[in-house]
Each structure stands twice: as C-alpha cells, then as structure tokens.
Amino acid sequence: MSPTFQIHYFSTATSYTGKQTEHLPAPLPLVELFPLLESQYPGITEAVLRSCSISVREEYVDVDGEEGREVVIAEGDEVAVIPPVSSG
C-alpha cells in the first residue's frame, strides 16, 4: 500500500468535493496541495481554498507564506480544510 495522509473537508469544502475525508499520496510539499486538489476538483481553488484556513498536524499553516514552502505533509499526517467561520 502506498503511503498516504488524510485530508478532512469542512462546510463548503465538503459540499464542493462531495466528501468529508479522503486519503492522498504522501509525502507532499504543502505548496503542492492546492494544485493537487485543483486537478481533482476543478475550480476549488477559487471557490473554496482561497478563503480557507489549512491545518497540518493540528497546527494552522500559512500556505502562501514561507511556512508553506517549508512544510511537507508526511505519511499519516492529518490535514484539514477549514472555511471561514461566521458568527451571528
């Protein structure tokens, strides 16, 4: 079995992908996550990911910053795609 990590989708990300969770190949540099998801779910970057927070190993990460270039998602890691939370 190939090494994988688990990605969890919440709210609009779940609606867009039709999934709450799935396994993707590991290791994967964090900067390659959005292009990979875009290839599987065309339009997801603009519709969902641009406004989402991403966590890797239960820590929020800045995908577009320096941290995004350094983080590598490893086998067994958990990643979450968390859309903005509104209150009211």
Side-chain angles (χ1 to χ4, degrees), residues 10-64:
F10 295 93
S11 186
T12 56
T14 299
S15 298
Y16 202 93
T17 63
K19 301 174 181 177
Q20 291 184 334
T21 188
E22 71 178 314
H23 290 271
L24 297 174
L28 181 73
L30 182 60
V31 295
E32 293 180 18
L33 178 62
F34 285 10
L36 174 65
L37 293 175
E38 182 69 27
S39 72
Q40 293 182 325
Y41 307 104
I44 194 171
T45 302
E46 198 59 42
V48 178
L49 299 177
R50 293 245 183 256
S51 61
C52 286
S53 295
I54 302 294
S55 72
V56 178
R57 298 180 290 275
E58 298 182 5
E59 297 280 334
Y60 284 102
V61 292
D62 180 5
V63 176
D64 296 324

Side-chain angles (χ1 to χ4, degrees), residues 3-5 24-30 32 72-75:
T4 63
F5 67 91
L24 297 174
L28 181 73
L30 182 60
E32 293 180 18
V72 175
I73 305 166
E75 178 178 7

